[in-house]
Amino acid sequence: MGTVIGAGASEVRVLPIALSFRFPRLRSIRIPFSMEAAGEKSLLPNLSCCATNGSPHPIESPMLGATGFRQEPEAVAVGSLEITLARDGDDAERPVRHLVVVSLYKFAIFANYKEMRRPLKDLCEELRISGGIILAPEGINGSICGTQESVEKVLEFIQSHESLRGLRIVESPVSLEEEAIHHGHTSHSPLGAGEEAPFRWDHVRVKLKKEIVTFGDASVMPTERVGKYVRPSDWNALISDPNIVLIDVRNMYETRIGKFKGAVDPCTTSFREFPAWVNEKFQANGSRTRQPDMENNRLLEPPKPPRIAMYCTGGIRCEKASSFLLSEGFEEVYHLEGGILKYLEDVPESESLWEGECFVFDKRVSVEHGLEQGSFKLCYGCKQPVSDADMESPKWEFGVSCPYCFFTKSDEEKERARARQRQFETWGLIGGPDKGRRNPTNPS
């Protein structure tokens, strides 16, 4: 049985058939709905649809077929949606537990970080957690997605390690549209590895690295000292002070779609470039050292360094950046606790000094106030956010290029990208159905 959510002049019904399929991304409209399903096995969403516009005659949707489920704006611009889900040999039903996305990090002295990788990855796969986690001698950093219960079990496991207790966490909901796409995949289907799934049930990366956020300076130790945390509720007052220099610690592709009013943009392409930018901006011509006063034959005291306020997506880059600035002699360094994400969650839009959207490192691409899904998509050619206007450009080609990378890619690179895109459109994953098999002719 299905559940109808909402009401309107139109009604869309999805009736049972025996096909397993994937949901392509809902691009044009958003229709609120929820799904009910049974058990832990893969769900078999069903494909049969008709829409009515207040008349007794149904409007058949030509966009709906065995290759997927698409919304046709003319047919279902307003209305309700009924989803029927079946499971092999079982008609019992229970509500699907909603998904959450959790960004987490902790700087810590974590010498035995390598030992954590395999049990953490196994637990995530067992609980059907997706996302990416980095382990390094300086701590942990990651973003994971799953049901509330599953995510809490992973967080509990991580914090069972004494050095990782007190994780910094920002939790975001997953939109109902994304849940529909997500649950349209099965854990064992090759389509489950497709780019159309915003958070893949069956894929989590747990990587070992030298740093949990790449800065390139091993002398910077956030475990020893960082700047002063400022709560989102106090942030507006701080950055409205004319004596504060507000710095966006993110990269150009992030600042391009949104930032705080009046923020200085370092225009970096990598966090590694931040130290050089600071030296150029604040220490040019030896301005941070004592200068000779030739007339009075003495050394002048250097000018007092400015008061600095910094922010980034979730707070992790600010911890390293603030530690670096303190080591360089800056005395007052503040940073936004929980980053932009926490600010957008806590501060009402009517009081906000944030302008635009915030880029996030998952398939939501961007979020707005209240951590609602943003309007940007992702260019798979360069992993930069693109707007609807960008996708009108002749330089835009899905899966290949966009206005921001078109001229940086050779014809050979574009053709390879087209080949990868063809593989994905045909098989649902890059490399085709035999990817990962040592002997494709002998799958056993």
Side-chain angles (χ1 to χ4, degrees):
M1 296 294 295
T3 300
V4 177
I5 304 296
S10 304
E11 182 172 322
V12 180
R13 296 186 178 277
V14 181
L15 307 174
I17 63 171
L19 289 178
S20 179
F21 69 99
R22 63 189 180 99
F23 286 111
R25 201 179 277 112
L26 304 183
R27 299 178 184 277
S28 301
I29 61 172
R30 297 182 177 184
I31 298 181
F33 66 94
S34 64
M35 296 187 295
E36 294 183 353
E40 295 295 339
K41 290 185 179 180
S42 62
L43 303 176
L44 299 179
N46 307 288
L47 276 179
S48 178
C49 172
C50 69
T52 63
N53 290 323
S55 71
H57 303 291
I59 302 173
E60 298 296 336
S61 172
M63 298 287 287
L64 193 59
T67 58
F69 176 88
R70 296 182 185 273
Q71 299 289 350
E72 186 182 17
E74 294 78 10
V76 293
V78 179
S80 58
L81 178 66
E82 181 176 320
I83 299 289
T84 304
L85 297 171
R87 202 185 78 171
D88 294 337
D90 194 343
D91 294 328
E93 298 178 352
R94 63 178 177 83
V96 171
R97 292 166 294 177
H98 291 302
L99 306 175
V100 294
V101 179
V102 169
S103 300
L104 61 100
Y105 77 89
K106 173 73 184 292
F107 282 101
I109 298 173
F110 192 23
N112 59 341
Y113 70 102
K114 293 182 180 179
E115 299 174 8
M116 189 183 197
R117 180 183 180 276
R118 176 46 59 185
L120 178 57
K121 183 174 177 63
D122 289 345
L123 178 63
C124 288
E125 290 179 347
E126 176 187 344
L127 297 173
R128 303 175 82 183
I129 290 288
S130 61
I133 300 172
I134 296 173
L135 303 174
E138 64 175 9
I140 187 170
N141 179 24
S143 180
I144 59 175
C145 177
T147 65
Q148 185 80 54
E149 180 183 1
S150 296
V151 167
E152 287 177 358
K153 287 181 180 179
V154 172
L155 295 178
E156 182 180 350
F157 172 79
I158 292 172
Q159 294 186 101
S160 67
H161 294 252
E162 185 174 357
S163 59
L164 298 181
R165 291 174 185 168
L167 284 173
R168 293 195 173 274
I169 296 170
V170 177
E171 181 179 307
S172 307
V174 177
S175 72
L176 294 174
E177 294 95 333
E178 288 175 318
E179 290 212 32
I181 299 170
H182 184 112
H183 290 300
H185 292 263
T186 65
S187 61
H188 58 270
S189 167
L191 296 179
E195 291 178 353
E196 297 292 349
F199 306 100
R200 290 156 50 182
W201 273 130
D202 57 348
H203 186 74
V204 63
R205 302 177 308 278
V206 182
K207 294 184 178 181
L208 303 177
K209 291 192 174 183
K210 295 180 180 179
E211 300 175 86
I212 58 174
V213 56
T214 304
F215 193 68
D217 186 345
S219 67
V220 176
M221 301 290 290
T223 52
E224 295 181 0
R225 60 176 177 175
V226 294
K228 299 176 183 178
Y229 296 104
V230 180
R231 293 177 299 180
S233 58
D234 299 325
W235 183 248
N236 286 356
L238 175 68
I239 67 175
S240 297
D241 185 335
N243 296 317
I244 282 284
V245 177
L246 177 61
I247 301 175
D248 193 320
V249 187
R250 302 172 304 153
N251 297 316
M252 285 191 296
Y253 63 90
E254 299 169 86
T255 60
R256 173 168 56 79
I257 71 170
K259 63 178 183 177
F260 279 105
K261 185 177 181 179
V264 177
D265 183 357
C267 297
T268 56
T269 59
S270 166
F271 192 37
R272 285 177 174 270
E273 299 173 8
F274 185 75
W277 177 82
V278 169
N279 290 329
E280 181 180 353
K281 177 74 175 179
F282 298 105
Q283 296 182 305
N285 301 320
S287 61
R288 294 288 316 290
T289 60
R290 300 178 70 187
Q291 298 297 304
D293 181 356
M294 305 304 295
E295 183 176 339
N296 298 309
N297 193 29
R298 65 188 179 90
L299 290 177
L300 298 172
E301 290 298 321
K304 188 175 181 178
R307 300 168 67 212
I308 300 292
M310 300 183 300
Y311 66 90
C312 57
T313 306
I316 185 170
R317 281 178 280 187
C318 283
E319 294 212 21
K320 273 207 169 179
S322 67
S323 182
F324 169 74
L325 289 180
L326 291 171
S327 71
E328 291 293 301
F330 289 80
E331 298 171 3
E332 285 191 71
V333 181
Y334 305 89
H335 49 106
L336 178 57
E337 187 171 13
I340 303 164
L341 295 179
K342 192 62 177 173
Y343 181 91
L344 294 179
E345 180 181 23
D346 289 357
V347 177
E349 186 172 0
S350 60
E351 302 173 13
S352 175
L353 297 180
W354 176 261
E355 299 175 334
E357 299 180 17
C358 177
F359 181 83
V360 289
F361 296 89
D362 55 54
K363 292 197 174 184
R364 293 174 298 172
V365 183
S366 67
V367 295
E368 301 174 338
H369 284 89
L371 301 182
E372 292 291 330
Q373 173 83 38
S375 63
F376 285 83
K377 304 297 187 294
L378 198 69
C379 170
Y380 291 106
C382 64
K383 302 301 188 289
Q384 291 199 46
V386 289
S387 65
D388 290 340
D390 293 329
M391 290 187 283
E392 295 296 325
S393 168
K395 300 178 183 63
W396 164 259
E397 184 178 351
F398 185 77
V400 178
S401 66
C402 72
Y404 304 101
C405 67
F406 182 84
F407 292 109
T408 66
K409 293 183 175 296
S410 66
D411 291 340
E412 291 78 10
E413 289 174 317
K414 292 174 185 174
E415 189 51 46
R416 284 198 297 271
R418 291 186 187 102
R420 288 194 299 270
Q421 186 60 27
R422 286 193 295 269
Q423 289 176 345
F424 174 75
E425 290 174 354
T426 303
W427 303 109
L429 77 168
I430 306 302
D434 296 324
K435 182 181 179 181
R437 296 180 182 171
R438 292 181 178 274
N439 183 0
T441 61
N442 184 16
S444 61

